[in-house]
Structures are given as C-alpha cells and as structure tokens.
Amino acid sequence: MRTEQASGSGTRRRRVRFPEEEPPTAQDGWWQKTLRALKTLLLFSIILGVSLLLWGYVFQGCGPSPCKTPVCQDLLALYLASGNTSVAPCADFFSFACGNANRTSSPFQALEEENKRRVRRILETPGSWRLAPGEEKAFGFYNSCMNTGAIEAAGAGPLRQVIEELGGWPTSGNWTPSDFNQTLSLLMSQYGHFPFFRAYLQPLPTPPYLPVIQIDQPEFDVLLKQKQEPNYAQILREYLNYLYRLVTLLGGDRNQAQKHASFSLAINSQLNQMVGPGEQQRAQDKVFEMVTIDQLQRMAPTIDWLSCLQATFTPMALSPSDHVAVHDLAYLKNMSKLLEMKLSEHRDLLQSHMIFGLVKTLSPALDSQFQEAHRSLNQKLGELTGHPPMPVHPRWMMCMEKTEAFFEPTLATLFIRETFRPRTQSAAMELFTAIKDAFISHLHTVPWMDGETRAEAQDKLSQLQVKMGPSEWALKPDPARQEYDDIQLGPSFLQTFLSCVRSRQARVVQEFLQPVSSHRWQVPPWGLKAYYSIPDHVMVFPAGLLQPPFFHPGYPRAVNFGAAGSIMARELLHIFDRLLLPGGCLACDTRALQKALLCLERLYTALPSPKGTAFEVSRTLLEDAADAGALAIALKAYKKRLVLFRGETILPNLDLSPRQLFFRSYAQVMCRDPSTQDPQDIHSPPTLRVHGPLSDSPAFARHFRCPQGALLNPSRRCQLW
C-alpha cells in the first residue's frame, strides 16, 4: 500500500472526513425543519401564555368582581327591597331606586332606629362592660325608668310632693301664697321648666362666637292662633279637657277646675299672640339683640332677671352689667306687662298655670295616667290641625332617650366601643380627604368665581378641621366626668329624674366655664346629623352616620363615594352658601352666577313633583345647589380613585356597573316617602333631590344610555358648582 507524502507544491494531500461532515441526507433535512417548527411553536405558545396572563391581570383584575361578604349581602338585600327595577331609570330614577311599595322606612330612619337598638342593647347588658366608678348610675336610671310597676304603685304621690315644695296648688285647697319670682326661679333651676321664656347657654352665631346666656320664647304646648286654625273652638275644648283631667289626677277640686283651666288656656293664647314671626326678625337682620341684665330689667321689670338667671346658671357669677342675647325683645316686654296685670288680680291662677306646665314637662317621669292624658291630647290636636301626631314610642325607647340625655359621656364611650373601629375611622377619613381634594380641584371649573375668591375658598378648605366618628372625650373619657356624684337614684323615679335634670344643667354650665380647648360636639356619637361649626371651622361626621347602609370599609367604593361621599361633599358646599346669596361675592361674575342659579331653578321647576307635595324653589334653592354640586364632586373624586386604585367590586345580582352603582347609592340616601315631608322643610321633595342632580349630570345619562330628551337627559344643563 502506497502512502502519499507531502513532498512539494504539486503533491496532493488526501483529506480525512469526519462523520459530522458527511453531506446531509434527505432524512437529516426533514429533522431540521421539524426542529425549527417546534421551536417556533414553543415560542408562540410562550407569547400567547404571557399575553393571556397579562390580559387576565390587567383586565380581569381591574374589572369589577362581586362583593359577597356579609355586609355586602345585607346591602344588596336593602337595595333589592327598596328599588323597583321594572321602572326605566332614565324616566324615573327615584322609583327605580326607591319605588318598592313594600319599603317601610327611609335609610336614615332605619339607621336611626338601629342606633337606638344598639344603645338599648348596651343598657340592657351592664355586665358586658367594664365600668368606671359612677357609670353604673346610667344603668340604674334606665332600670328605674323601666320599672313601671314601682312607678304605677307610687301614682301621683311624688308629683304632689313636688307641688308642695313649690307652695302647693290652689285647686287642691292647699296653697301658701309665695313670691312669684321665687317660684319662677325654682321652676327654672330645680325642675327645668320655663313657663314664660326659655334661657339657655349657647355660643353666639356671630364673631367672636363666645358662649352667652340666650333668652327666647317658651315652647308652647299647643299653638293657639285663632286666624290660622279653622277648628279653633274644638282645639280649645280638647285642651281644656286635658287640663280638667290633670286636676282630677292630682285630686283637685273639679268645681274650681274650669276657672283655673280657662285662665291657663287664655294666658297661653295671649303669649302665643305676642310671639313675633321669625321670618320678620331674619329679614330685619335681628336674630338677637345684646342687652345687659340691667337693661332687660328696666324693659321687662316683672321678672327678677338677675335672681332667676343666677339660680339657673349656678355657679356662674352674674352681675347686672353682664350681657345676654335676647331673640325677641318685643315679646319679653309684652310678656312682662301681661304678667304684671295678672299678678295684681290672679296670683293663684298664675300659680295654677305654672303647675299645669310643670306637669307636662315632668310627664315622662310620671305614671301612665299622666302620659296617656298627654298622648291623647296630642292625637286629637293632630287630627284637628292636620298635623301628624307625635308617634307613640315603646317604653324602652323613652327610657333610653332620657338615659342618653342624662348620661351621654358614659353611653358615648360604650357606643364607640360597640360600633366604631379604628379601621372605620381611617377609611372614612380617607374618603373625606378624597372628596375635599376633588372639591379643591373642582373650584377651577366654577365659571362665576373670580381668582381671589377661588384662592380664598381653596385656603379655607385646606385649613378645615374634620372630626370623624367619635369625639376625643368619648375615646379617652375623663374619669372625673363619669362619677355623677350629684345624682341620687330614688326614692321614686320622679326624684331620680329631677336629680338627673339638675346634674345635667350643672354639667352644661361647668363645660361653658372651662377654657375652650377643642370643639364642643353638638351631636352625640349615635346621632346622624353631620354639621359645620363656623366658630371652630370644624366639620363633624358622627359615628352614628358612618354606618351601613351609607358607609362601611368593606363596601364597594362606588357605594361609599355615592352615599357617604355625597353627604360629605354636600356639607363642604354649605360652607360657601354665602357666596350664592345676593351681595355674597361682589368680586365674582354676578351675571354668570345669577344665570347659573336661574338655570338651576328652571331645571327643578320643570321636573314633575310628587302628588300631594308643594314646595317653593326659591326657598329650597341653596339646598338644591348643594345637592347638584355634591353629586358632581363625589363623582369626580370617585373617578380619580378608580384611576389610582384597581380592583373595584360591585353588588351581585343588581346588573349595575360600578358607575351605575355609584348613582344608585347616591339615590338610596334620598329614599323617603314624599308624603311625610314637613311643609316647612328647606329641602326639595326627595324625588326632586334625586332627579334634579341626576338630570344635571351628563355622566348619568351616558352610563345609563338615556336617550336625548328623556326626563333625566335634558337638552340643557346648568353649571353652578
């Protein structure tokens, strides 16, 4: 075998081939194509999987999911029970949200009743609470009030004892004539009864907002103005029958009853006639007048003002040079003249008149015969005047309300422990901050507001304080305030009741004597009234309001913004009511403002009112403006929150999108029977409070796909706020 060697350029070398360098066969080409196809398919599958994951995360994660928690299920049941989905929402959204014929009460009424039941549960389970010294007296008072057997057994005896302490009653033949002002002073200071005028401590509504003694007309048991009542004669007879019955219950002489009752009725009517109309006082910008006690003494000399006020507001040290706020000076002058005339001839009849009024004041602490007499009078007067009578409450409710009044510090602390968690407070504060920020940014879109006014409004909103849920003293109560050392329980419920009356009055005076370190709450924690305090520049939302169905941390955001959020926005807007009044904003574009106000007035006038209701748009205009603006601001805040945070939820089985649920929750706040509205209410009927703002909202028409020209999608809209 010959082997080739490398021996020069012309010599050829033989190359050795390795197996991998063999030329591809047909089978090898097929395998390469299959491998490339598999790689492509794998890459496509990965891309598709990632895309599906991203789609699910972005769209499905941000899309609304049903809220199935117990609180949401309860809210869903309420919405289903109150609404009527057979009604077209664009034609009558009030009926769509509130039109169920089986609806028995408004959400506000239902929540108020639920809060009362919560307080009742607290009072009826004293062993469930760790009580500070003295706090058990609250439970002792409630139990004494509920002990009707002991109250009925005592009968009128405790009341007769009180009357004897006041000098007796001429109708019983056991009366010792006493000084009129001494008796009046005792009635005011010891028994909480003000027969001829009211005196109370309250901050003035104008700067510097200092607390001052204010004197106003009395609270009349029945209004006796002949020209206004077609059944005047029958009203007199019913009231006389009531007074006769009181004489009988107290063992008085029925032969003298007619004379004493007729006198009381006559003086009551005369005092009624002296009361000036509140509208006239407001028109004259004379809500009150500041006068010294000495000046008041000279203008209305029959009353010993210094001694009566000093006794009522002990331990305040009063002098003739101290000022008081008088709400109707003409009434006090005429009242003084009338009393001077009656005292010279009928001191005994005047004593009877004061006793009649005292019995009415003390009726909650008396046996059932006195309470039934007063209830019967209210019912008959309601039938004669056309006004609904006072509802008859169960015994526990009356006892609970009196316990709330006398022992608020104790019950406030226990109510907060029972119903209001820190999580709820922080969530409500977060909601309010979102509403306030939306309002501040919304001011740039208000067409009639000038730059300086807008800047002042923004600054005012930025400096606003807010109290959310419980007051500071309810969270950290001062033990010294809980002892109630001055309250004596027994020997009768009436004596217990009177001891509590005096204790509460003393606490009120002591609070006003203390230096003002923080805002004094005007509502208890279980109350539903949100308010704005001008003197303190503080807005308050009590814990009783921040409850289902208006608010809960676990609700869909659409519900909280639509219900509680619109309530918060409405209160914020009321801070600036002054700007909407004539001359309230001289630097603003008054023509644009008046045009917007007129547009809003026409918008509400064009809406159909419920049958049997009547309202004046001019009287309700400020509230209408707040309603419409609140909806716009709450919606703006909600839309911003959707952009910042994903994961919105909805209520199942309602077939409503999140934004539709927002409008549904806004309307739910207004659900109420229109026929129950007070004719003097400054708000529009509830149907208009729903339809007015919604018809002024383009977003509502868009999200409910309302056709142009539908009731809630008019061709023209207003822009006031």
Side-chain angles (χ1 to χ4, degrees), residues 80 93 121 186 195 197-198 208 223 272 298-299 334 340 356 477 496 554 596 638 653 665 678 691:
L80 291 174
F93 199 77
R121 286 196 293 269
L186 284 172
F197 58 87
R198 281 186 302 140
L223 296 178
N272 260 281
R298 292 196 297 271
M299 289 184 283
N334 292 326
E340 182 182 15
F356 280 133
T496 297
Y638 175 58
N653 303 323
S665 299
D678 188 330
H691 291 165

Side-chain angles (χ1 to χ4, degrees), residues 96-216:
F96 178 82
C98 311
N100 193 316
N102 296 323
R103 178 172 51 87
T104 57
S105 63
S106 71
F108 271 99
Q109 182 182 349
L111 179 54
E112 182 181 28
E113 292 173 354
E114 175 58 26
N115 285 344
K116 289 179 180 179
R117 286 190 289 269
R118 288 166 175 162
V119 176
R120 180 190 183 186
R121 286 196 293 269
I122 291 172
L123 287 170
E124 294 184 350
T125 55
S128 303
W129 309 100
R130 182 179 298 175
L131 302 176
E135 287 186 321
E136 69 279 352
K137 288 185 178 180
F139 297 88
F141 174 86
Y142 178 79
N143 291 332
S144 179
C145 182
M146 291 295 292
N147 188 357
T148 55
I151 296 173
E152 296 298 323
L159 180 57
R160 291 195 189 99
Q161 181 181 345
V162 168
I163 293 174
E164 289 174 7
E165 293 170 358
L166 292 166
W169 195 0
T171 61
S172 64
N174 181 22
W175 177 56
T176 303
S178 58
D179 179 74
F180 167 75
N181 275 290
Q182 183 179 355
T183 303
L184 179 61
S185 178
L186 284 172
L187 285 171
M188 293 169 57
S189 62
Q190 298 299 303
Y191 303 102
H193 177 54
F194 297 83
F196 306 110
F197 58 87
R198 281 186 302 140
Y200 52 91
L201 273 169
Q202 191 167 299
L204 290 173
T206 57
Y209 309 112
L210 295 175
V212 67
I213 294 174
Q214 303 197 33
I215 301 174
D216 207 344

Side-chain angles (χ1 to χ4, degrees), residues 622-701:
L622 285 178
E623 294 294 338
D624 296 338
D627 285 342
L631 177 68
I633 292 166
L635 179 60
K636 185 170 186 174
Y638 175 58
K639 289 165 64 177
K640 183 178 180 181
R641 187 52 53 106
L642 286 180
V643 172
L644 295 176
F645 299 94
R646 69 178 186 84
E648 177 63 305
T649 57
I650 56 173
L651 294 179
N653 303 323
L654 275 186
D655 195 25
L656 295 177
S657 69
R659 282 179 173 82
Q660 288 175 330
L661 181 59
F662 168 89
F663 292 111
R664 176 71 167 78
S665 299
Y666 168 81
Q668 190 70 33
V669 175
M670 309 296 181
C671 286
R672 182 163 54 87
D673 185 353
S675 64
T676 62
Q677 181 159 352
D678 188 330
Q680 301 304 316
D681 195 341
I682 59 174
H683 299 88
S684 292
T687 44
L688 270 65
R689 295 191 70 185
V690 172
H691 291 165
L694 294 183
S695 63
D696 201 36
S697 171
F700 173 82

Side-chain angles (χ1 to χ4, degrees), residues 593-607:
L593 174 58
Q594 292 304 314
K595 182 179 179 181
L597 287 170
L598 181 61
C599 176
L600 193 67
E601 187 173 341
R602 289 173 175 170
L603 178 73
Y604 274 73
T605 303
L607 294 170

